[in-house]
Amino acid sequence: MRASLWIGGVISAIVTGAAVLSFVWVPHDIEALNIANKIKPPSGVHLLGTDHFGRDILSMLMVGARTSIAVAIVAVVIGMGFGVPLGLAAAARTGSWLDEVIMRGNDLIFAFPSLLIAIMITAVFGPGAVNAIIAIGIFNIPVFARLTRGAALSLWTRDYVLAARVAGKGRLRISAEHILPNVTNLLIVQGTIQFSLGILAEAGLSYVGLGAQPPVPSWGRMLADSQTMISFAPHMALFPGLAILLTVLGLNLMGDGLRDWLDPRLARDAR
C-alpha cells in the first residue's frame, strides 16, 4: 500500500475528527462576539487568533469543516445516485437513442461550470448551502455517468457477460449483477476525488456569497472576510486557506493511494 494512502488518510481523519468534535466541543463559542478582542494574532488563549468580530478562528475552522464535508458528501451522493445508473443504462444500450440522449445531456451539463449552475439556481431560489449542494451535485452527475459508461463498455465484451446473455439474463440484470460490481473500485476512487473537488467548490461558492450563509461558518466565507484585512491580519486568511489546501491535498493523496491499492496492475507496475 502506498505511502500516499496513509498520509492522505491521516490528514482526512484529522479534518473529519475536528468536524465531529465540533458537535460536542469547541475552544470558544463561535456565536459570541467580542469586538474588543478582534483581529488578535495567535496566542495561548486563541491558538489561531481571532477574526474581525473577535471570534476564535480555530473554533470557526472546526465548525466550518462539518459544513464543507456535509456539502461535499451529499453532492457526491447525488452525483453517484444519478450518474451511475445513467452510465450503466447508456453502456447497456450503446449506440441507441437512449445512449445518445444521456451522453448529449452530459455534454450540456459540462458546458456550464458548477459556479455558473449555482448562480442560476441562486438567482431563482436564493443563496444557501442546500443550493450549493444541488449545484455541485448536478455537476457531478456527468462525471460519474461518463466514467461508468466507459468502464462498463469494456466489460460488455467479456466472456462472463456473454455467458450471462446466453443464459437468458436481461441487460438490466447483467448491469446490476456483473457490470456494477466490477466498476465499483473505479467509482470509489472517483468519489474520493470528487469529494475533494466538492470541498473546493463549496469554498469557492461561499467565497462569492453563494454557499452557506451567516451565521453558519464556512472556510470560503472566512477567506472572503479576510481579503480586505490581509495586510495587517494575515492569520485570518492563512489558516482557512491552509485548511482548504490540506483537506483537498489529503483527499487527493488518499484517492491516488486507493487507485493503486484497488488496481493490481498499477501495484505491479509500482514495484
Side-chain angles (χ1 to χ4, degrees), residues 11-23 25-26 30 48 56-74 195-196 198-200 202-203 206 212 215-222 239-240 242-244 246-248 251:
I11 295 174
S12 301
I14 292 173
V15 174
T16 304
V20 173
L21 181 61
S22 70
F23 282 102
W25 177 85
V26 289
I30 63 169
L48 301 183
D56 181 63
I57 290 179
L58 176 58
S59 302
M60 296 282 288
L61 289 177
M62 291 175 64
V63 178
R66 69 191 191 203
T67 302
S68 297
I69 290 174
V71 169
I73 286 178
V74 178
F195 182 52
S196 69
I199 288 179
L200 193 60
E202 188 279 330
S206 295
V216 179
S218 170
W219 292 347
R221 198 173 63 254
M222 291 174 71
F239 295 117
L242 283 176
I244 297 170
L246 291 176
T247 303
V248 173
L251 288 168

Side-chain angles (χ1 to χ4, degrees), residues 69-89:
I69 290 174
V71 169
I73 286 178
V74 178
V76 169
V77 170
I78 291 174
M80 279 191 171
F82 288 95
V84 173
L86 288 174
L88 290 174

